[in-house]
Amino acid sequence: MGMNCNRVEHFEESTMKIQTEIPIHQVRLPPQRTSLNKLKQRLSEIFFPDDPLHRFKNQPSFTKFLLTLQFLFPIFQWGSNYNLKLLRSDIISGLTIASLSIPQGISYAKLANLPPIIGLYSSFVPPLIYALLGSSRHVGVGPVSIASLVMGSMLSESVSFTKDPTLYLQLAFTATFVAGLFQASLGILRLGFVIDFLSKATLVGFMAGAAIIVSLQQLKGLLGIVHFTNKMQIIPVLLSVYNQKNEWSWQTIVMGFGFLAFLLTTRHISLRKPKLFWASAAAPLTSVILSTILVFLLRNKTHQISVIGHLTKGVNPPSVNLLYFNGPYLALAIKTGIVTGILSLTEGIAVGRTFAALKNYQVDGNKEMMAIGIMNIAGSCTSCYVTTGSFSRTAVNYNAGAQTAVSNIIMASAVLVTLLFLMPLFYYTPNVVLATIIIAAVIGLIDYQAAHKLWKVDKLDFLACVCSFFGVLFLSVPLGLSIAVAISVFKILLHVSRPNTLVLGNIPGTQIFHNINQYKEALRVPSFLILAVESPIYFANSTYLRERILRWVREEEDRVKENNGNALKCIILDMTAVTAIDTSGLETLGELRKMLEKRSLQFVLVNPVGNVMEKLHMSKILDTFGFKGLYLTVGEALADISTSEKEKAEP
């Protein structure tokens, strides 16, 4: 009791100090603007937060023309300063990623159930287009494992790539076209926030689940199985491996696990010693060369080891005539295109921003969307399937010393030489080595440390991660992704519909008011309940906020009774963090005022921000609060109300 009395006395002293020291300021309305000006500013904040046209202001016509060229084609931005020193670095890095992209292209095409040559085609045209349009200096473009897996799993659910290869190829090219159109549209319309719904937690679980599924699917090649399930779930895959154990080939197993050990060892060396990055970069091509030579030399004794076989020489043939825009499978192609487009765009932009941050330059997200979209549209017309910025290629490109996007041109040139002259050399390349290259590549997608961090930091994010992971493993890749996105959206809705509300107290000796649970030294103000809402007040949360505030009032009254404290007289609502309010929120404030007034409690508002203040004024809600119902700060509200109460109490 003595301690409580001391706290009350301290606060009475603080209140007296507030009354004498704090002048009362009027809460003002923002400058008056027309509805058109408000709409223009709002749209500008939504779609143009970076003000992309700021460089064009007050510039002569010719300068504007040059800036337009640089804006549309970033190559003109850095091309004028290009020199032989930069070219030397780009040639080295370009040839290095070519050594990785050739075996990866063949492998990932098989992962998408496409002919291996399509993977090489996809490593030729798209990088050239990206070099002209992309804003990243280090991104290495080509097929990626996740998009390949998703395309293969979604299309093969309805169309057999073995029984109807032409239709399957048509749908793959059409899905690529749809993906590119979708990606470019997001960039042109500046709707990049759409891909933000794939949260970090979602992607961690999705990629880990997809990596395991991809690895299990490669058991077909690793064990030499001929008849294998086309399903992508973990149980059917494991059952197929067990049921076909009579098809296992010991020669294939020995070769596969030998090269897998080699690839994982070089990867481990490169991770431990970044200067030896070339070890893991060159390992896939080295594996292809060594295994091809080995199978060729032992071709009379290794009949059970399946090989790639004949690959057509030559550059990308046109595929416009193969685009499928009319028929029963069009919806499947559109759905596949949108899903793979979102995934590849997410990976491409994330990769570009990650490596740009390391070199302290900026990657324009909208330009990246347009660049990736246009290269996929062009790719669909030149026998390519979905491509984007690849994390493995970009990491190798960065470590090899790439300076500009010319490294992609060098890589594409190396792929061109391969397409024109070296294709017969891949005839004896064993499929088992392609399987080991895929397994070694996707193992790096399993980020258990990120999952552990999610568990420690945010349990709901961890739930999204786990649901995404198990959804991919036991249901399907698209369903697992859909479940994870649904959980992420649910999390957003939960935060919006159940915003945080706080009880504030005064830090002794200051005019600062903070959460009493976070700051133990913060003291409650006798006779006052100071609340804060950390969210916009919308129709989705207005009912919850009304009930929660009334509960705070009831709990405060019960606490006062238990401690024989001063009776509650006033509720102060700090609206500093209320960034927006709608008509439902306005009605809620009016209802709260009426309810509290019936209980002889005063209800006042503190520091509503500009647009909230504007709506309070226009709705006439402020008229019901009266002259003493709105204050600029909590301290001023306490001082003015305490003074008024004291004046009323005096005879």
Side-chain angles (χ1 to χ4, degrees):
M1 280 294 292
M3 185 177 292
N4 286 336
C5 289
N6 289 336
R7 290 166 74 94
V8 171
E9 287 172 7
H10 169 81
F11 230 98
E12 287 175 349
E13 291 173 7
S14 298
T15 305
M16 289 295 294
K17 193 174 181 181
I18 288 171
Q19 294 173 25
T20 57
E21 293 183 359
I22 297 183
I24 307 302
H25 296 88
Q26 184 181 2
V27 181
R28 296 177 183 175
L29 283 167
Q32 201 166 14
R33 296 175 300 163
T34 64
S35 298
L36 182 60
N37 284 335
K38 291 178 188 176
L39 179 63
K40 283 172 64 177
Q41 184 181 1
R42 186 61 182 152
L43 291 176
S44 175
E45 291 298 322
I46 293 172
F47 297 108
F48 303 98
D50 55 341
D51 189 14
L53 301 179
H54 71 280
R55 294 189 302 161
F56 293 82
K57 293 175 183 175
N58 304 319
Q59 296 291 345
S61 299
F62 182 71
T63 304
K64 285 183 179 179
F65 173 73
L66 292 178
L67 290 173
T68 302
L69 278 180
Q70 293 177 359
F71 182 79
L72 296 175
F73 304 98
I75 192 170
F76 286 107
Q77 211 164 347
W78 49 263
S80 58
N81 299 320
Y82 202 71
N83 54 44
L84 286 174
K85 183 179 179 182
L86 296 176
L87 179 62
R88 185 171 64 249
S89 299
D90 287 336
I91 288 175
I92 294 170
S93 57
L95 292 176
T96 305
I97 56 172
S99 69
L100 177 65
S101 66
I102 292 169
Q104 270 193 355
I106 295 172
S107 304
Y108 291 160
K110 290 181 71 65
L111 187 58
N113 301 319
L114 293 167
I117 192 69
I118 301 296
L120 289 180
Y121 290 158
S122 302
S123 299
F124 172 50
V125 172
L128 294 175
I129 295 172
Y130 183 84
L132 294 174
L133 301 175
S135 60
S136 172
R137 303 173 198 163
H138 299 99
V139 162
V141 172
V144 292
S145 58
I146 296 299
S148 302
L149 167 70
V150 171
M151 176 174 283
S153 63
M154 291 184 72
L155 293 181
S156 59
E157 284 179 0
S158 302
V159 179
S160 172
F161 60 92
T162 53
K163 295 178 181 177
D164 203 344
T166 303
L167 175 60
Y168 189 90
L169 198 59
Q170 286 180 306
L171 294 178
F173 291 150
T174 308
T176 301
F177 179 85
V178 171
L181 191 64
F182 176 73
Q183 292 164 335
S185 299
L186 290 182
I188 293 168
L189 299 175
R190 304 182 72 82
L191 297 174
F193 59 83
V194 171
I195 64 172
D196 293 337
F197 282 95
L198 280 177
S199 65
K200 170 71 174 176
T202 298
L203 289 174
V204 167
F206 174 77
M207 288 188 173
I212 291 174
I213 287 293
V214 169
S215 301
L216 291 175
Q217 273 284 334
Q218 301 317 303
L219 290 176
K220 173 186 177 181
L222 199 61
L223 301 176
I225 298 172
V226 179
H227 302 93
F228 199 72
T229 181
N230 292 328
K231 295 182 179 179
M232 302 298 292
Q233 298 83 11
I234 185 171
I235 293 175
V237 170
L238 292 176
L239 285 175
S240 183
V241 170
Y242 177 77
N243 293 333
Q244 306 300 331
K245 58 182 180 294
N246 58 310
E247 294 183 0
W248 293 12
S249 164
W250 69 266
Q251 296 103 321
T252 304
I253 293 172
V254 170
M255 176 175 283
F257 279 96
F259 279 104
L260 181 60
F262 169 67
L263 290 168
L264 293 178
T265 301
T266 55
R267 181 175 178 273
H268 179 72
I269 291 171
S270 296
L271 288 174
R272 292 291 299 272
K273 297 183 178 180
K275 290 184 178 180
L276 297 178
F277 71 92
W278 52 266
S280 62
L285 186 59
T286 304
S287 300
V288 168
I289 294 171
L290 291 177
S291 63
T292 302
I293 293 172
L294 189 63
V295 170
F296 174 75
L297 294 175
L298 302 175
R299 58 188 179 279
N300 296 324
K301 300 178 182 179
T302 56
H303 297 298
Q304 289 185 311
I305 298 178
S306 65
V307 295
I308 291 178
H310 176 70
L311 294 176
T312 307
K313 286 199 297 182
V315 295
N316 302 34
S319 55
V320 179
N321 59 317
L322 292 177
L323 294 179
Y324 183 97
F325 292 127
N326 186 24
Y329 296 105
L330 179 59
L332 173 64
I334 292 173
K335 183 172 71 172
T336 304
I338 290 174
V339 173
T340 54
I342 290 174
L343 286 173
S344 57
L345 196 59
T346 302
E347 179 171 353
I349 291 178
V351 166
R353 286 175 175 169
T354 299
F355 287 90
L358 295 176
K359 284 293 185 178
N360 197 28
Y361 68 93
Q362 191 172 356
V363 166
D364 188 320
N366 290 292
K367 283 184 187 177
E368 288 295 285
M369 288 182 227
M370 287 189 280
I372 294 172
I374 291 170
M375 77 184 189
N376 278 319
I377 292 173
S380 68
C381 301
T382 53
S383 300
C384 305
Y385 77 108
V386 174
T387 54
T388 187
S390 162
F391 187 85
S392 57
R393 296 189 195 196
T394 305
V396 169
N397 199 28
Y398 176 85
N399 287 320
Q403 299 296 318
T404 69
V406 170
S407 60
N408 275 295
I409 299 175
I410 303 299
M411 179 195 73
S413 302
V415 173
L416 175 62
V417 171
T418 304
L419 287 169
L420 291 176
F421 306 110
L422 305 179
M423 297 314 294
L425 299 179
F426 290 98
Y427 183 92
Y428 285 102
T429 300
N431 286 312
V432 63
V433 167
L434 301 182
T436 61
I437 290 171
I438 292 173
I439 293 172
V442 300
I443 281 177
L445 298 176
I446 303 174
D447 193 350
Y448 61 89
Q449 291 179 332
H452 182 251
K453 186 176 180 181
L454 289 173
W455 168 256
K456 290 197 300 183
V457 175
D458 191 320
K459 301 297 188 290
L460 202 56
D461 270 350
F462 181 76
L463 177 63
C465 174
V466 169
C467 289
S468 177
F469 177 74
F470 286 109
V472 170
L473 283 184
F474 292 99
L475 297 175
S476 69
V477 173
L479 270 178
L481 186 61
S482 301
I483 290 170
V485 171
I487 291 174
S488 296
V489 172
F490 171 74
K491 180 184 176 183
I492 295 171
L493 294 176
L494 190 64
H495 284 306
V496 170
S497 62
R498 296 294 183 270
N500 203 21
T501 54
L502 311 170
V503 176
L504 305 183
N506 177 249
I507 305 294
T510 72
Q511 303 304 327
I512 299 171
F513 295 84
H514 265 303
N515 182 4
I516 59 173
N517 290 325
Q518 183 180 357
Y519 294 87
K520 300 302 181 184
E521 66 272 26
L523 303 177
R524 294 175 183 267
V525 182
S527 302
F528 290 87
L529 174 61
I530 308 169
L531 301 175
V533 176
E534 295 183 331
S535 163
I537 303 178
Y538 289 135
F539 65 93
N541 62 24
S542 57
T543 302
Y544 166 80
L545 285 173
R546 182 185 62 208
E547 301 300 328
R548 189 67 186 92
I549 289 172
L550 290 174
R551 178 183 163 189
W552 279 122
V553 172
R554 186 179 69 249
E555 290 175 350
E556 180 67 11
E557 289 177 333
D558 292 343
R559 189 190 67 81
V560 168
K561 287 179 183 178
E562 288 176 8
N563 294 288
N564 296 320
N566 295 346
L568 184 62
K569 295 178 182 178
C570 180
I571 289 83
I572 298 175
L573 182 62
D574 187 348
M575 300 182 69
T576 303
V578 179
T579 55
I581 193 168
D582 67 358
T583 52
S584 298
L586 294 169
E587 288 180 9
T588 296
L589 292 180
E591 290 170 7
L592 274 171
R593 187 198 63 77
K594 290 176 184 176
M595 291 177 180
L596 294 172
E597 195 175 65
K598 287 179 182 179
R599 298 164 67 168
S600 301
L601 295 172
Q602 187 178 358
F603 183 47
V604 302
L605 308 177
V606 166
N607 195 29
V609 296
N611 63 322
V612 175
M613 180 61 187
E614 196 171 37
K615 290 185 179 180
L616 287 169
H617 175 73
M618 292 173 65
S619 65
K620 307 296 183 185
I621 290 288
L622 289 180
D623 295 345
T624 64
F625 277 79
F627 181 70
K628 298 284 187 180
L630 185 66
Y631 294 91
L632 187 61
T633 68
V634 173
E636 291 184 13
L638 285 171
D640 192 45
I641 295 169
S642 298
T643 302
S644 300
E645 290 292 330
K646 186 178 179 182
E647 289 173 355
K648 287 179 184 177
E650 290 176 357

